[in-house]
Amino acid sequence: GAARGRLDRMLHATCRVYRRALTLDADIIQLHDPELLPAGLLLRRRGRKVVFDAHEDVPLQLLGKPYLTPPLRRLLSAAYTRFERRACARLDGVIAATPAIRDKFLPIQPGAVAIRNYPRPEEFGAAAWDGQPLQVCYVGGLSALRGIAELVRACTLLRTPVRVGLAGRFSEPGL
């Protein structure tokens, strides 16, 4: 079932994922969300192989959350950093989305790897793009921390008639 907000996702969805994972006959369980790390630790205690897919730098993201006060941002970032290091040291591996994130985990997970998820041009075929307008789409959170202002400014420097579509929610008023 879909989570009903941030708190529900962190508390109840984690329990649902844990219970469901116990019913699977999986060789490896790969977790994609930081709030699932407690479930990953419980699954490890049950003898399951668990890998964490770190596709974001959560402590850094916490420092930029506009709905948190600056002292709370720093506190949560520091607390999550300690928790993440302890949890991931007990898991079987870490897959990172970037080399910088991988390098953060290497001291505690020497086998941590970076697997970038760039699209392969050959999967799209050149014919599909013939006659199409030049456009790019950004999908995700629209925030200063994610560089949305820089993306829009960079578009003014383009020498081609490229359109940029933005799909997501603005998390900061006036951005």
Side-chain angles (χ1 to χ4, degrees):
R4 294 173 300 279
R6 210 176 266 123
L7 189 59
D8 181 55
R9 187 179 74 227
M10 289 188 295
L11 299 175
H12 302 112
T14 299
C15 292
R16 288 191 302 268
V17 167
Y18 170 70
R19 286 192 301 270
R20 178 72 174 118
L22 286 176
T23 69
L24 301 175
D25 185 26
D27 294 326
I28 298 173
I29 297 170
Q30 182 176 343
L31 304 175
H32 288 266
D33 295 313
E35 61 267 19
L36 296 178
L37 283 173
L41 292 173
L42 292 172
L43 290 164
R44 279 293 300 131
R45 285 188 193 158
R46 296 279 202 118
R48 304 298 175 90
K49 294 220 181 278
V50 180
V51 173
F52 179 55
D53 186 342
H55 50 268
E56 55 205 8
D57 189 333
V58 175
L60 183 62
Q61 281 187 341
L62 286 168
L63 291 173
K65 298 293 184 187
Y67 52 84
L68 300 173
T69 64
L72 187 55
R73 290 179 206 169
R74 289 188 296 274
L75 177 69
L76 289 174
S77 178
Y80 182 80
T81 296
R82 285 191 298 279
F83 170 71
E84 181 183 65
R85 290 183 60 75
R86 286 188 180 132
C88 290
R90 290 169 173 79
L91 299 181
D92 296 290
V94 173
I95 298 170
T98 68
I101 294 173
R102 177 208 52 216
D103 293 348
K104 180 177 89 164
F105 286 99
L106 282 174
I108 59 165
Q109 277 288 344
V113 296
I115 300 178
R116 296 180 175 186
N117 53 355
Y118 294 128
R120 294 173 159 170
E122 65 271 14
E123 292 178 352
F124 295 101
W129 297 101
D130 291 342
Q132 296 293 321
L134 297 174
Q135 50 189 357
V136 176
C137 183
Y138 172 87
V139 179
L142 304 169
S143 67
L145 186 62
R146 294 202 175 188
I148 197 63
E150 290 81 0
L151 174 67
V152 172
R153 277 197 297 277
C155 292
T156 65
L157 304 174
L158 297 173
R159 296 182 184 165
T160 58
V162 174
R163 290 188 56 137
V164 177
L166 304 176
R169 292 186 181 185
F170 283 97
S171 58
E172 300 155 62
L175 185 60

